[in-house]
Amino acid sequence: EMAPDLLVAMLNRHFESLVRVVFRHQGMVDGFRGDRLMALWGVPLPHDDDAQRAVAAAMEMHQTVENLNVIRDEVDEPTFEMGIGLASGNVLAAAMGSSRTQRYSILGDPATRAEAVCASARAGQLMIDEETRQAVRKDFSAEESRAIEQPGGIVRCFEVLGKSEARPERPWSYLG
């Protein structure tokens, strides 16, 4: 119902805020697909905590959208809802395309899985696949949510609930 130029301006402001979050967590923006943002961690240089960085960025993105929605609501602009999906795994990362146009991007099952996990996320949800869950289990609480079917098989999805409460492995060791 919005004029196209107003919608594009609003989306660009929205993406500007989300891209800042991606960069703050040392991710890379792969691209924009309509109203979607595809971000990557671990390329071109991997870190031991790329999954943690991605989950932390996703949580911050949700908070950013909530904060922006307060402002949008005050000026009678439509608010945004966003579901986020993450998947982990080995991918091929390279400059791909033709001799006339190339773009650095990724190929592989984890990219396809990430899109499927994202599509299953409802507004306000942060969904992760099982491999991401294993990588972040010490840092973030998550509960199994649903399974989705893909051509390669079933993907178990987990909803991230927040940061894990840090508990010492042996609590009596600091009691003296």
Side-chain angles (χ1 to χ4, degrees):
E1 295 177 18
M2 291 181 75
D5 57 331
L6 294 176
L7 177 60
V8 169
M10 200 168 134
L11 279 171
N12 285 340
R13 285 192 312 271
H14 174 74
F15 285 137
E16 185 68 36
S17 297
L18 298 182
V19 168
R20 277 193 213 111
V21 174
V22 170
F23 290 166
R24 189 170 22 262
H25 292 272
Q26 298 178 319
M28 182 184 110
V29 173
D30 181 61
F32 304 94
R33 293 177 180 95
D35 62 353
R36 289 187 177 195
L37 164 68
M38 175 78 154
L40 312 171
W41 277 262
V43 293
L45 300 172
H47 302 91
D48 290 337
D49 63 345
D50 284 317
Q52 287 84 351
R53 292 173 194 229
V55 171
M59 291 175 63
E60 187 178 334
M61 285 178 179
H62 274 304
Q63 187 60 53
T64 298
V65 169
E66 283 182 34
N67 294 343
L68 289 171
N69 278 342
V70 169
I71 296 166
R72 288 180 184 122
D73 195 45
E74 289 173 356
V75 295
D76 282 338
E77 283 186 354
T79 57
F80 286 176
E81 293 182 335
M82 179 176 68
I84 298 175
L86 302 173
S88 297
N90 292 321
V91 295
L92 169 65
M96 296 177 246
S98 73
S99 61
R100 292 182 172 206
T101 180
Q102 288 193 343
R103 185 170 73 84
Y104 188 83
S105 190
I106 61 169
L107 286 175
D109 289 339
T112 305
R113 198 168 54 247
E115 289 188 23
V117 173
C118 186
S120 78
R122 294 185 302 273
Q125 278 189 315
L126 168 51
M127 302 292 286
I128 59 176
D129 71 342
E130 193 167 4
E131 192 166 335
T132 306
R133 170 69 181 124
Q134 290 302 319
V136 303
R137 70 179 322 138
K138 292 181 182 175
D139 301 299
F140 298 95
S141 299
E143 66 181 23
E144 191 157 2
S145 177
R146 65 175 79 68
I148 53 177
E149 284 191 54
Q150 277 203 282
I154 302 292
V155 177
R156 291 174 61 199
C157 295
F158 299 80
E159 181 176 1
V160 175
L161 304 174
K163 287 192 169 211
S164 291
E165 295 296 321
R167 291 184 178 157
E169 287 183 33
R170 297 185 328 190
W172 60 88
S173 65
Y174 62 84
L175 296 177

